[in-house]
Structures are given as structure tokens and as C-alpha cells.
Amino acid sequence: MAAENVKSFFIAIDPARHRDQLILPRQFTNRYPDLLGSCVILRDLGGRLWHIEVIRSEDRIILTTGWSDFFSHHSLMFGYMVIFEYRGASTFLTSILDHSACEIHMGDPGGSSSTSQPLPSFQITMSAPRFCHRCIFVPGTFASTNLPRFVNDVQIHDAAGRVWQIGVDSRANGVVRRFARGWAEFYTTKNIRPGDTCVFSLINGDVPAFNVFKVAVGGGEQTML
């Protein structure tokens, strides 16, 4: 699907705010105010359809009745990322990323089992010569395999739902060389330090978008920034 035809948004889950209802992002609803009816359908990657009631309050669009069932069935936890891709007729295809940036698939429409499929990613330890607070170098193999050539910028979707625009510098052949403009602000705001190891997980390749995870000291647990 061409990037310009994709209507999508991302939600970083906080159970305290999202267990019973979900307010859709203003950036999406302001751009497409008449897109949705009084009910939406969420299709998960197991093929199950979830019918969710929609209410409008002032300028907000809120998923209500039926959302808590979707939330519970998929065992959504703090820091999980739910991606909504609009497919027409008030229907969204949903996918879910867990704390390790793996995409969760329900085993069947009844949800009896689940597996995870890793997303394309690369890992960087913030130390010389591959670290600078002003830029981060992207491994050439990853960039040439997973990123479009001659792009001007990429996005980072953080745990709070903010989208960061990061300018890129490319090689002569168009392969992305490093993340530059905007990286310093992300680095400082997220309190990244020399010696930290971060995983950059690609969640959308047409318009490149990443989640960034900090790896705990000693490895293992990852926290989305």
C-alpha cells in the first residue's frame, strides 16, 4: 500500500488511562473528522473482529463499549504499542508490539495461543566511535536492507505517544548513513547516557518509523523510551 494512502496511528498503552476506553489521537481525528461512524471494527492479526462503540465528546472521538474486551483479550500491558491502520468502512487492522518490540500474533480467532515475530531492528551502544550526542550512525547492512533510499527523515514514536522527526544524512547511493537533526533533542529528553545500549525497532518501512528501547544493564529487559 502506498504510504500516502495509509491512515494510521500508534498508541503507547497505559492501563490506568486505556483499560476502559481509548481516546483517539487528535492528530488523526482532526485530519479525518468524518471518517468513522458510531461503531468501528478492529481486526486483530488472528483474524478476529471486534465491534467497538464510538462516542464523540467535544472534539474528541472515544472508543468505549467493546474496547475493554479487546484490551483484556490481548493482555495489553504498560508500554505495549498498539498500531491502528485504517482499511475503510470504519475498520482498522490492529497489531501489537510487546516490550521487546516483537509483534504479537493471536494463534486463532479464539485467541488460544500467541507467538511473537521480531521486527527489523538494530542495536547501538552509545560509545565512541559510533556515538555522538548530535547524531547516531545506522549500520549499513540494516539501512540498505530495511530503509528506502534518499529519504530526508525518519520518525521515532516514543512511549508517551509523541512523534519525533529525525533528519538523516545519506551516502552517495542514497543509503541512510546516520540520524542527525533532531537526534540531540531526543537524546537529551530521554536521558540517554554514554554506555547505554539502545535498540531501534522499525515499525513502519514506507515512511520509516521506529520505537527506541533502552536495554537494562546486564542485558535482558528493555524499556521503551
Side-chain angles (χ1 to χ4, degrees), residues 1-224:
M1 179 179 296
E4 60 268 20
N5 293 328
V6 176
K7 301 179 178 70
S8 63
F9 59 89
F10 309 79
I11 297 290
I13 292 297
D14 177 355
R17 298 168 52 210
H18 301 141
R19 186 183 305 277
D20 297 321
Q21 63 180 24
L22 184 71
I23 300 174
L24 303 189
R26 291 179 186 271
Q27 184 178 8
F28 181 86
T29 57
N30 288 346
R31 186 173 182 182
Y32 308 108
D34 302 318
L35 197 65
L36 306 177
S38 61
C39 177
V40 300
I41 299 173
L42 306 183
R43 179 162 62 89
D44 64 27
L45 293 183
R48 181 168 177 175
L49 301 179
W50 302 80
H51 295 261
I52 315 295
E53 183 178 347
V54 172
I55 65 172
R56 287 172 166 79
S57 177
E58 298 178 350
D59 60 345
R60 299 181 303 175
I61 295 179
I62 307 169
L63 305 189
T64 57
T65 304
W67 167 254
S68 61
D69 294 332
F70 179 92
F71 187 103
S72 299
H73 178 83
H74 294 90
S75 302
L76 299 182
M77 300 173 61
F78 184 88
Y80 277 26
M81 181 74 75
V82 182
I83 303 170
F84 297 77
E85 294 185 11
Y86 187 71
R87 296 302 177 93
S90 292
T91 300
F92 291 92
L93 174 65
T94 62
S95 52
I96 301 168
L97 307 182
D98 65 14
H99 294 132
S100 61
C102 289
E103 192 173 51
I104 298 174
H105 295 258
M106 302 310 294
D108 56 54
S112 61
S113 63
S114 65
T115 59
S116 293
Q117 176 179 334
L119 297 174
S121 63
F122 65 92
Q123 179 173 301
I124 295 290
T125 297
M126 304 296 165
S127 59
R130 300 193 62 80
F131 158 75
C132 173
H133 75 278
R134 294 186 300 272
C135 65
I136 194 81
F137 287 89
V138 180
T141 300
F142 176 89
S144 62
T145 302
N146 297 286
L147 299 179
R149 301 194 178 198
F150 299 105
V151 296
N152 294 318
D153 52 49
V154 300
Q155 297 177 348
I156 294 176
H157 293 254
D158 70 13
R162 177 176 173 181
V163 178
W164 301 74
Q165 297 290 337
I166 308 296
V168 304
D169 294 332
S170 300
R171 298 173 173 83
N173 62 1
V175 173
V176 172
R177 179 170 178 262
R178 63 180 182 175
F179 297 167
R181 300 168 300 282
W183 169 254
E185 182 184 2
F186 181 84
Y187 171 90
T188 302
T189 302
K190 298 302 182 179
N191 198 32
I192 300 173
R193 293 288 183 263
D196 287 344
T197 297
C198 291
V199 175
F200 295 73
S201 293
L202 184 67
I203 58 176
N204 183 20
D206 292 329
V207 179
F210 291 85
N211 292 147
V212 179
F213 299 81
K214 184 184 290 188
V215 180
V217 175
E221 183 178 355
Q222 299 180 9
T223 302
M224 190 165 72

